[in-house]
Amino acid sequence: MANWDDVRRIALALPETTEGGSHDGLPAWRVRDKPFAWERPLRRADLDALGDAAPDGPILGARVPDVGAKEALIADDPDVYFTTPHFDGYPAVLVRLDRIGVEELTELVTEAWYARAPKRLAAQFRADTGATA
């Protein structure tokens, strides 16, 4: 299963990505100052909302292209992906880092990067890597 070193390695391999602290000082990864992945421990309101279903391991927040993509991830694998009321209506998903494989994490972080990268930078990366849109 994945860990923070995997997240860091995957994120920093993407063009123009920087690592810095989020507003609460936890690791966050940005492309041109737009966050696309971040450490997101559960807060009291999250724990209250999730109740007994609240995970206790490391949590990654990641941008997704839209709320539909978020809902699809959660529906497809609720043991890995989830959300809290704080993220209602927001295109981001929470991930149980200790339940996601490195290959799937790579796909998720890369897609999060694409969701935030400027169009020209994303197009250049696609061209450089031979990735499809």
Side-chain angles (χ1 to χ4, degrees), residues 2 4 8 12 14 17 19-20 28 31 39 44 48 54 74 76 83-84 91-92 94 96 102 128:
W4 291 116
R8 179 171 288 111
L12 292 176
L14 297 165
T17 294
E19 179 179 346
V31 56
E39 183 175 349
R44 172 57 41 207
D48 291 345
I74 293 168
D76 186 51
T83 191
T84 65
L94 298 175
R96 292 173 176 94
V102 174
D128 291 348

Side-chain angles (χ1 to χ4, degrees), residues 69-83:
K70 168 185 173 172
E71 291 169 353
L73 285 169
I74 293 168
D76 186 51
D77 198 348
D79 288 335
V80 173
Y81 301 100
F82 71 105
T83 191

